[in-house]
Amino acid sequence: DIQMTQSPSSLSASVGDRVTITCRASQSISRYLNWYQQKPGKAPKLLIYAASSSQSGVPSRFSGSGSGTDFTLTISSLQPEDFATYYCQESYSTPLTFGPGTKVDIK
Amino acid sequence: QVQLQESGPGLVKPSETLSLTCTVSGGFISSFYWNWIRQPPGKALEWIGFISYSGSTNYNPSLKSRVTISVDTSKNQFSLKLSSVTAADTAVYFCARGTPTTMITDYWGQGTLVTVSS
């Protein structure tokens, strides 16, 4: 199975800050990497797929990059509605695996 | 707009079988893969498995011996059965649509909490 790690596990930031979350796969997954945002009591929402493609309707402040084993999700200017937990997920092979999550809260 | 809705008992006794159904509306169940994913309270997401519109399945090896996913295309529904449950199976269970080949889960149900307790 492919193992996914994320860093940091949590961060505190202010509105307007630039935020970067990293995700690492235990082996190369090409660009089969997706990012999700989850708010308390809600289902995950797809933000970025195939490492850098934005899902329809996702604000342009969210961007993704990377390939192989190392990936990043960047929020260019954090907004109040962005405080949430972010998960990466590989879709290179089954079992599909998620990272442990990064919680972004208010500083 | 595709919508998914989970349904089933919220409480299951230890050693019994957990059964959930996901109803898909706003689109046909054909041409996609249909996933079950769970999230224990306060923990990360765990993929359980998927079924294709044609009925082929793929399960997480960690749960494979206890999981069955089936599809009813006439009702636009797919289902999950998890046998011999324990407290460790307490979680919010989500159903989600997966795109063929890329396996991106783009539409999710709201999730349903299943508690395993006597």
Side-chain angles (χ1 to χ4, degrees), chain A residues 30-35 48-53 63-67 71-72:
Chain A
S30 185
R31 295 177 61 82
Y32 290 88
L33 191 283
N34 312 306
W35 289 99
I48 302 288
Y49 63 93
S52 62
S53 296
S63 64
S65 64
S67 66
F71 302 86
T72 59

Side-chain angles (χ1 to χ4, degrees), chain A residues 33-95:
Chain A
L33 191 283
N34 312 306
W35 289 99
Y36 298 85
Q37 176 194 67
Q38 187 179 33
K39 296 182 179 179
K42 301 293 186 181
K45 172 188 173 183
L46 178 65
L47 297 176
I48 302 288
Y49 63 93
S52 62
S53 296
S54 293
Q55 177 71 344
S56 175
V58 172
S60 59
R61 63 181 180 273
F62 291 93
S63 64
S65 64
S67 66
T69 60
D70 295 317
F71 302 86
T72 59
L73 173 71
T74 299
I75 309 172
S76 61
S77 178
L78 197 66
Q79 298 302 300
E81 60 269 30
D82 300 337
F83 292 98
T85 299
Y86 294 83
Y87 293 94
C88 62
Q89 178 217 27
E90 62 83 16
S91 52
Y92 179 80
S93 65
T94 58

